[in-house]
Amino acid sequence: MAKQVTIYEIAKEAGVSPSTAARILSGRSQGRAKTRAAVLAAAKRLNYQLNLAAQNLSRGKSMSIGVLVPDIADPFFVEILRGIEKGLHDSAYFPLIGSMHWRLGEARNALDLLLGHRVGGLIVATTHLPSERLYRIAQEIPLLLIGEVVEPIQNRCLAIDNEEAAYQATRYLIDLGHRRIAYISGPPLHWHTAPRLDGYRRALEEAGLELQPELVLAGNYEESSGYHAVKELVRKGIPFSAVFASNDAMAYGARLALFESGLAVPEQVSLVGFDDLPWSSYLIPPLTTVRQPGYEMGLSAARGVLQMLSGQPFQPPRFYGELVVRNSSGQAP
Amino acid sequence: MAKQVTIYEIAKEAGVSPSTAARILSGRSQGRAKTRAAVLAAAKRLNYQLNLAAQNLSRGKSMSIGVLVPDIADPFFVEILRGIEKGLHDSAYFPLIGSMHWRLGEARNALDLLLGHRVGGLIVATTHLPSERLYRIAQEIPLLLIGEVVEPIQNRCLAIDNEEAAYQATRYLIDLGHRRIAYISGPPLHWHTAPRLDGYRRALEEAGLELQPELVLAGNYEESSGYHAVKELVRKGIPFSAVFASNDAMAYGARLALFESGLAVPEQVSLVGFDDLPWSSYLIPPLTTVRQPGYEMGLSAARGVLQMLSGQPFQPPRFYGELVVRNSSGQAP
DNA sequence: ATCAATTATGATATCGGTGTCAAAAAGTAA
DNA sequence: TTACTTTTTGACACCGATATCATAATTGAT
């Protein structure tokens, strides 16, 4: 590991003072043409690499926006990340991504890591973080929350109403004449499992239908759980004419199980998902689902943080879950 | 933005010297029970947040591994990221993710950003970076390349042989009796477009089949291009009994087009993809595809970098594209 | 209780940039 | 040319943590 080239060496090489070299290299002043050329040449010659740690320390801040996600591999968060990346694209800030999966010795977790980097702002996507902590952070730096609405900072949250969205989707199936609608639920600890189930329940109640416990299946938001849920239903011979999976991944699994069971979609069974992942429109048949505007929320969050950083106030827009009707759903048989 | 609490304030509050406070907080020495308690209490009381910029500057390095990907949203790179995350999970290092999409004012791009952060090591996933530059970096810090094999640093590359993998897949279809195999190609500028096409070509030649230009369709690795390619084929009435899409995303699109055209898979048309994305086993019917061990390569790269960091030599293992036969392919009609 | 061995602590220089401020140089007007 | 403004430059302290090394406190053995 060769010794790092510092600004002092550049200065000496170019025959100027360190401050001058720094100013020119960081672009905060043009400098006289001759000086400028000399510094630039020296930097190139010695292969100068700015040390961001030094710069950040000196400036007291870094040009980064922390982004905290529970899982970088989850397609929904990938959508959000895409939006954030887009939103930050033309700014001087770059996203510093932290995943809750990282546990870095002792008590230093991903959040502390981002904070330790003195990120200029923070975008937190649905992680079970103590709201008290989020509140305190929000007092210090621009913070926006995506996905979840947390009490003390409601006006810093970008989210859709999960209960309402699930209600709409269920209502849609009921209106198509479905009476026995299987529901594949998320894991109990996940925060939007309950509201989505509530929406399903409310739609049934409103239509005067009784909730059938045997039609509510436990899932975990992964493909396989959707698959097994439907397999189980078929095995037990429980009748149903529609399946509402509380996320698209489980809908994919359910789709495969229906296929293997010889149940035609949508002729015999209607299938509805939740999220509208990019691949959902390529499912066979294309999946009817509730679109969550992940990309838009990410984009909006990024712009919002930049706006707050520039001192302007930011009021998060409202987001809505939108039922996208494709071909996996139809009239009840 | 409240003033940041520094180690000096902790020291004063706890009645010890800054060095002692630092040592205890960074865990490099336990300290006497009483002192330790005092420092920890002071840190908690004042809500101390370590300043990583200062730490990195002082230590001359950061505990991070740079990861450079062309696109954080591409499912294949997400797999790689998952592997890297896993590989780094139990280490003190964390991944610092850079996407080629980021352009940060002037000449500072994502690579410079990572280097500027003085990452301990670097994992680069198929990006068109000048090999000369990569070579120079590899002299300084542990660097591994995923996906592509670059001349001057062959022994730092983790990749499969794309030509061979495409050959195998094509060969498989030929052995099933297929004679008119449509090929959906990637974008011309993408580096593995050519080798994959070469593999297809070689398999045909070896079987004494002539390559039919009308069966080689231009794609761009996105779903829609696979869709349109097949639509086009059908519209023109060009006969074919199999489709080999050079990535899974395009295979999804092709699948939908086949569905819409009333062509049964695999009864009338066999479909083969390339990548084996997580959803491919849930396609209807489950997709036969060439599995690229993205997760394993990411995992291996992470471990390799850590190993190199600890001073041991690292020889990347060989990786192979593996044909995963599922139900989307079968005997030629 | 004494002396050696061990461990904890404090003073201070240092990492590599940046901001400040005063001095110097260049530009402008008379 | 002189006087005055504007721009560029250099000296130097500073950001917040750490490493070093000398000193102090503690422990253990005798």
Side-chain angles (χ1 to χ4, degrees):
Chain A
M1 192 123 37
K3 207 192 146 299
Q4 299 294 350
V5 177
T6 74
I7 199 97
Y8 295 94
E9 285 147 281
I10 301 299
K12 194 186 300 172
E13 177 86 4
V16 299
S17 79
S19 355
T20 303
R23 262 187 302 252
I24 288 172
L25 288 172
S26 70
R28 2 202 93 207
S29 126
Q30 289 290 306
R32 205 145 291 150
K34 205 159 43 109
T35 336
R36 181 177 179 70
V39 170
L40 259 25
K44 180 157 225 169
R45 189 142 13 97
L46 299 185
N47 211 283
Y48 174 71
Q49 238 320 321
L50 169 69
N51 184 327
L52 279 173
Q55 183 173 72
N56 290 343
L57 175 58
S58 177
R59 301 231 253 241
K61 65 173 180 187
S62 79
M63 295 305 278
S64 59
I65 304 293
V67 179
L68 196 60
V69 295
D71 180 0
I72 37 169
D74 183 314
F76 177 59
F77 295 110
V78 169
E79 281 299 290
I80 293 178
L81 286 177
R82 275 188 52 228
I84 293 175
E85 174 169 285
K86 173 71 176 172
L88 256 30
H89 189 264
D90 289 316
S91 77
Y93 287 84
F94 66 95
L96 194 58
I97 301 170
S99 154
M100 295 303 275
H101 281 173
W102 306 341
R103 53 166 192 62
L104 317 152
E106 312 287 310
R108 263 183 52 198
N109 52 37
L111 179 56
D112 286 316
L113 186 76
L114 297 179
L115 260 19
H117 265 293
R118 297 294 188 267
V119 292
L122 195 58
I123 299 175
V124 176
T126 63
T127 52
H128 316 113
L129 251 29
S131 53
E132 167 54 24
R133 177 108 201 260
L134 290 176
Y135 178 76
R136 278 212 314 276
I137 296 172
Q139 309 302 111
E140 302 290 327
I141 59 175
L143 176 151
L144 288 175
L145 217 94
I146 296 183
E148 196 171 357
V149 177
V150 166
E151 257 317 307
I153 47 169
Q154 307 93 319
N155 60 337
R156 302 275 76 111
C157 299
L158 290 71
I160 66 165
D161 183 336
N162 281 275
E163 197 272 348
E164 174 67 21
Y167 165 82
Q168 296 289 355
T170 311
R171 174 70 192 274
Y172 160 77
L173 285 170
I174 293 173
D175 288 349
L176 283 173
H178 294 279
R179 288 299 169 266
R180 292 189 59 83
I181 304 170
Y183 181 83
I184 310 180
S185 182
L189 28 60
H190 203 300
W191 80 271
H192 55 44
T193 294
R196 290 184 188 177
L197 182 55
D198 287 344
Y200 166 76
R201 187 180 289 125
R202 176 158 69 93
L204 291 184
E205 274 169 14
E206 197 183 283
L209 298 170
E210 206 165 327
L211 184 140
Q212 307 290 332
E214 83 254 27
L215 286 177
V216 177
L217 295 331
N220 63 4
Y221 285 150
E222 283 170 28
E223 285 87 350
S224 59
S225 70
Y227 176 84
H228 289 120
V230 169
K231 280 282 182 177
E232 188 75 359
L233 224 43
V234 172
R235 194 179 60 73
K236 289 191 182 158
I238 299 172
F240 62 97
S241 72
V243 175
F244 178 19
S246 61
N247 82 348
D248 278 9
M250 296 194 297
Y252 298 172
R255 177 66 189 94
L256 180 58
L258 291 169
F259 173 71
E260 290 183 5
S261 307
L263 292 167
V265 173
E267 292 78 7
Q268 293 171 274
V269 174
S270 284
L271 180 62
V272 173
F274 199 117
D275 275 352
D276 195 21
L277 299 185
W279 309 275
S280 295
S281 53
Y282 289 94
L283 199 70
I284 309 298
L287 183 68
T288 294
T289 186
V290 176
R291 175 165 153 61
Q292 270 213 85
Y295 178 81
E296 288 81 356
M297 291 194 288
L299 183 62
S300 177
R303 293 195 173 146
V305 167
L306 290 177
Q307 196 169 322
M308 287 157 81
L309 235 22
S310 74
Q312 298 161 55
F314 173 73
Q315 185 59 42
R318 292 203 51 127
F319 290 95
Y320 299 92
E322 175 201 1
L323 185 70
V324 180
V325 177
R326 300 208 182 91
N327 308 329
S328 68
S329 56
Q331 211 65 38
Chain B
M1 194 126 33
K3 204 189 149 300
Q4 299 294 351
V5 177
T6 76
I7 198 96
Y8 295 94
E9 284 148 281
I10 301 298
K12 195 185 302 172
E13 178 85 2
V16 299
S17 78
S19 354
T20 302
R23 263 187 300 253
I24 288 171
L25 287 172
S26 70
R28 357 203 95 204
S29 129
Q30 288 291 305
R32 204 144 291 150
K34 206 161 43 113
T35 336
R36 181 177 180 71
V39 170
L40 259 26
K44 179 155 226 171
R45 188 143 16 97
L46 300 185
N47 213 283
Y48 174 71
Q49 240 318 321
L50 169 70
N51 183 326
L52 280 174
Q55 183 174 72
N56 291 342
L57 175 59
S58 178
R59 300 232 253 242
K61 66 174 180 185
S62 79
M63 295 306 278
S64 59
I65 304 292
V67 178
L68 197 58
V69 296
D71 180 1
I72 36 169
D74 183 315
F76 178 60
F77 295 110
V78 169
E79 281 299 289
I80 293 178
L81 286 177
R82 274 189 53 228
I84 293 175
E85 174 168 285
K86 174 71 176 172
L88 256 29
H89 188 263
D90 288 316
S91 77
Y93 288 85
F94 67 95
L96 195 57
I97 301 171
S99 156
M100 295 303 275
H101 281 173
W102 305 341
R103 53 166 193 61
L104 318 150
E106 313 286 311
R108 263 183 52 197
N109 52 37
L111 178 57
D112 286 316
L113 186 75
L114 297 179
L115 259 19
H117 264 293
R118 295 295 187 267
V119 292
L122 195 58
I123 299 174
V124 176
T126 61
T127 53
H128 316 114
L129 250 30
S131 53
E132 166 54 25
R133 177 107 201 260
L134 290 176
Y135 178 76
R136 278 212 314 276
I137 296 172
Q139 309 302 112
E140 303 289 327
I141 60 175
L143 176 151
L144 288 175
L145 218 95
I146 296 183
E148 195 171 358
V149 176
V150 167
E151 257 317 307
I153 49 169
Q154 307 92 319
N155 61 337
R156 302 276 76 113
C157 298
L158 290 71
I160 66 165
D161 183 336
N162 280 275
E163 196 273 348
E164 175 66 19
Y167 165 83
Q168 295 288 357
T170 312
R171 174 70 192 274
Y172 160 77
L173 285 169
I174 293 173
D175 288 349
L176 282 173
H178 294 280
R179 289 297 169 266
R180 293 190 58 82
I181 305 170
Y183 182 85
I184 310 180
S185 183
L189 28 61
H190 203 298
W191 79 272
H192 55 43
T193 293
R196 290 185 188 176
L197 182 54
D198 288 345
Y200 166 76
R201 189 179 288 124
R202 175 157 71 92
L204 291 184
E205 274 168 14
E206 197 182 282
L209 298 170
E210 205 164 329
L211 184 141
Q212 308 290 333
E214 84 254 29
L215 286 177
V216 177
L217 294 332
N220 62 5
Y221 284 151
E222 282 171 28
E223 286 87 351
S224 59
S225 70
Y227 176 84
H228 289 119
V230 169
K231 280 282 181 178
E232 188 77 359
L233 225 43
V234 172
R235 194 179 59 70
K236 289 191 183 155
I238 299 171
F240 62 98
S241 72
V243 175
F244 178 18
S246 60
N247 82 350
D248 278 8
M250 295 194 297
Y252 298 172
R255 177 66 189 95
L256 180 58
L258 291 170
F259 173 71
E260 289 184 3
S261 307
L263 292 166
V265 174
E267 293 77 8
Q268 292 172 273
V269 174
S270 283
L271 180 62
V272 172
F274 199 117
D275 276 350
D276 195 21
L277 299 185
W279 309 275
S280 296
S281 54
Y282 289 95
L283 199 70
I284 307 299
L287 183 68
T288 293
T289 185
V290 176
R291 176 166 153 60
Q292 269 213 88
Y295 177 81
E296 288 81 356
M297 292 195 286
L299 183 62
S300 178
R303 292 196 173 144
V305 166
L306 290 178
Q307 195 168 321
M308 289 157 81
L309 235 21
S310 75
Q312 298 162 56
F314 174 73
Q315 185 58 43
R318 291 203 50 125
F319 289 95
Y320 300 93
E322 175 201 1
L323 184 69
V324 180
V325 177
R326 299 207 182 92
N327 308 330
S328 69
S329 56
Q331 211 66 38

